């Protein structure tokens, strides 16, 4: 890790800038939608769709190009340049929206759909570029399959910790101090700066990059039989469904907690920090336990993680009814300190989500271990699993925010996600046991 510490720092900052954009866009679109749940759902959906598309495309590109660091740097520069023109594109989409509703006979559902499509389209390009960074960087760092889970876990945790830092900075400081427009410019120049630094660093490492290209084939090779291929296919599908449920849980928890601590940008920031911190912690722990290097890490571990997510999420349900009393306690302890109350709210949100989100964060390195069979196609493998996971997350955010919560209610939506977690886990264990018995 020390050898390329500058790249890890840049990847940390990449995560920070991505979440700065997410908070800024959520704040901006909440003015358009007038409903925080719809704004959050739109931004999350666009992010997930872009991340999915970008990971799929750039994962394949990463396996074919020689200079992966230069590609990563170019991606960062493009994100920054797009962010510079984002205010113009947002204004253009607003004008187009007004034109469309004034020239037609659109009702409220049609207006909401038009807003969603326009906002989604504006955010899709930069989110796609962001989605390409993980498979590209992973391909650069991973030279052997035995190092894949630990390296992938470190990269994902570093990027997610950066996201935590970016969320905190923009949610609690940048918007209040310099405003939306200046915050957007700051993030844009940060991306451009990252890109320039990475490209310059890559020019010094061209020989080492060539060495990265001359890797030996992994002894594991491709799946040896139909049974193993079937397990891999199920693992990918299960990872996609788990992405669906994870984002559904995030939208639900945001909805519940916002009713208690408010629906402001600060509330959303606190909730998002808690969610991301759990993801980073889970990915970090699974890559540093030593267990990840063993061949016993398989679909069973992923299945038990899903069961753990379901159980821990279910155990939180009784706590939600006690949240108002817990918040009143904060005001009783120190009613005159805004800092104390804010910190209390953050700790409360963090503790509520920490166990299920830690388990969610641990699943990516495990799935990476299951699916990746040839080091020459690491970029494609990681791009594929990230694509399916974020593709599922896209629909999880959309269905939870726009369909499930309005029609089924918040608590029922949460329980539905829990049942899916449990079903995934039990099915994975059953399929593994069935295949083992047939050998």
């Amino acid at each position: 890790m020390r050898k390329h510490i500058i790249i890890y720092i840049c990847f940390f900052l990449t995560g920070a800038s991505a979440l700065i954009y997410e908070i800024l866009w959520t704040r901006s679109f909440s003015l358009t939608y007038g409903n925080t749940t719809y704004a959050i759902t739109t931004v999350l959906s666009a992010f997930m769709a872009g991340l999915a598309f970008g990971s799929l495309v750039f994962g394949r590109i990463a396996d074919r190009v020689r200079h992966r660091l230069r590609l990563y740097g170019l991606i960062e520069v493009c994100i920054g340049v797009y962010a510079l023109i984002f205010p113009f594109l947002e204004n253009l989409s607003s004008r187009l929206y007004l034109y469309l509703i004034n020239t037609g006979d659109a009702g409220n559902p049609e207006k909401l759909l038009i807003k969603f499509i326009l906002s989604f389209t504006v955010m899709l390009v930069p989110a796609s570029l962001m989605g390409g960074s993980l498979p590209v960087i992973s391909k650069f760092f991973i030279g052997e399959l035995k190092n894949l889970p630990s390296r992938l876990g470190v990269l994902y945790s570093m990027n997610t910790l950066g996201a935590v830092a970016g969320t905190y900075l923009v949610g609690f400081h940048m918007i209040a101090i310099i405003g939306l427009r200046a915050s957007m410019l700051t993030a844009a120049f940060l991306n451009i700066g990252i890109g320039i630094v990475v490209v310059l660093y890559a020019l010094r490492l061209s020989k080492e990059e060539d060495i990265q290209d001359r890797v030996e084939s992994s002894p594991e090779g491709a799946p040896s039989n139909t049974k193993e291929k079937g397990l891999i296919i199920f693992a990918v599908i299960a990872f996609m469904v788990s992405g669906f449920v994870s984002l559904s849980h995030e939208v639900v928890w945001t909805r519940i907690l916002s009713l208690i601590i408010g629906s402001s940008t600060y509330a959303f920031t606190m909730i998002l920090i808690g969610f991301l911190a759990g993801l980073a912690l889970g990915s970090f722990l699974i890559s540093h336990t030593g267990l990840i290097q063993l061949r016993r890490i398989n679909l069973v571990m992923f299945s038990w993680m899903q069961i753990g997510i379901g159980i821990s999420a279910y155990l939180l349900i009784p706590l939600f009814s006690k949240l108002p009393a817990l918040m009143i306690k904060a005001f009783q302890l120190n009613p005159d300190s805004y800092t104390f109350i804010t910190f209390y709210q953050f700790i409360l949100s963090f503790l509520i989500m920490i166990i299920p989100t830690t388990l969610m964060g641990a699943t990516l390195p495990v799935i990476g271990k299951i699916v990746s069979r040839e080091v020459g196609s690491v970029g494609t493998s990681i791009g594929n699993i990230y694509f399916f996971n974020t593709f599922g997350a896209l629909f999880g955010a959309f269905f939870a925010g726009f369909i499930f919560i309005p029609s089924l209610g918040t608590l029922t939506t949460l329980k539905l996600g829990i049942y899916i977690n449990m079903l995934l886990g039990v099915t994975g264990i059953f399929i593994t046991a069935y295949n083992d018995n047939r050998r």
Side-chain angles (χ1 to χ4, degrees), residues 203-260:
L203 292 175
R204 297 177 55 187
L205 294 177
S206 58
K207 292 184 179 180
E208 293 185 25
E209 257 192 76
D210 291 339
I211 294 174
Q212 291 263 349
D213 289 332
R214 296 194 298 270
V215 293
E216 297 181 0
S217 299
S218 169
E220 291 188 49
S224 58
N225 52 51
T226 304
K227 294 178 184 178
E228 191 172 358
K229 290 179 181 178
L231 288 177
I232 292 175
I233 291 173
F234 174 79
V236 172
I237 295 174
F239 197 44
M240 178 178 67
V241 176
S242 72
F244 178 97
V245 179
S246 295
L247 264 291
S248 175
H249 284 331
E250 181 179 355
V251 172
V252 169
W253 291 334
T254 300
R255 173 74 170 174
I256 293 173
L257 292 172
S258 64
L259 295 175
I260 307 301

Side-chain angles (χ1 to χ4, degrees), residues 28-260:
S28 177
F29 289 120
S30 65
L31 300 176
T32 301
Y33 284 90
N35 184 304
T36 303
T37 301
Y38 289 147
I40 293 172
T41 302
T42 300
V43 174
L44 284 176
S45 298
F47 252 76
M48 294 303 106
L51 292 177
F53 179 75
S55 63
L56 187 67
V57 173
F58 284 99
R60 283 157 171 73
I61 294 175
D63 286 331
R64 292 175 172 83
V65 300
R66 291 180 58 192
H67 304 293
R68 284 108 191 190
L69 277 185
R70 298 182 196 179
L71 176 59
Y72 168 52
L74 180 61
I75 289 173
E76 292 301 306
V77 171
C78 289
I79 294 171
V81 171
Y82 191 94
L84 292 177
I85 64 173
F86 181 84
F88 168 77
L89 296 175
E90 185 183 23
N91 181 60
L92 185 64
S93 69
S94 298
R95 290 175 178 271
L96 182 57
Y97 168 74
L98 293 175
Y99 172 79
L100 291 174
I101 64 173
N102 288 331
T103 57
D105 188 23
N108 287 331
E110 289 80 9
K111 290 179 181 179
L112 186 62
L113 180 61
I114 292 171
K115 288 179 182 179
F116 176 82
I117 292 174
L118 291 174
S119 304
F120 186 95
T121 303
V122 169
M123 290 184 289
L124 185 62
V125 172
S128 297
L129 292 169
M130 294 173 193
S133 60
L134 180 61
V136 171
I137 285 295
S138 297
K139 179 63 179 180
F140 172 77
F141 275 106
I142 298 170
E144 296 179 280
L145 278 185
K146 67 179 182 179
N147 295 327
L148 187 148
S150 59
R151 294 282 177 88
L152 182 58
V154 170
L155 287 170
Y156 186 68
S157 61
M158 288 292 292
N159 190 250
T160 309
L161 282 174
V164 172
T167 303
Y168 170 77
L169 287 174
V170 71
F172 289 102
H173 299 289
M174 292 176 66
I175 294 177
I177 296 174
I178 63 178
L180 286 171
R181 181 66 62 86
S183 297
M184 182 72 73
L185 291 174
T186 301
F189 287 121
L190 175 61
N191 282 119
I192 294 173
I194 292 171
I196 293 174
V197 169
V198 169
V199 170
L200 292 177
Y201 184 74
L203 292 175
R204 297 177 55 187
L205 294 177
S206 58
K207 292 184 179 180
E208 293 185 25
E209 257 192 76
D210 291 339
I211 294 174
Q212 291 263 349
D213 289 332
R214 296 194 298 270
V215 293
E216 297 181 0
S217 299
S218 169
E220 291 188 49
S224 58
N225 52 51
T226 304
K227 294 178 184 178
E228 191 172 358
K229 290 179 181 178
L231 288 177
I232 292 175
I233 291 173
F234 174 79
V236 172
I237 295 174
F239 197 44
M240 178 178 67
V241 176
S242 72
F244 178 97
V245 179
S246 295
L247 264 291
S248 175
H249 284 331
E250 181 179 355
V251 172
V252 169
W253 291 334
T254 300
R255 173 74 170 174
I256 293 173
L257 292 172
S258 64
L259 295 175
I260 307 301

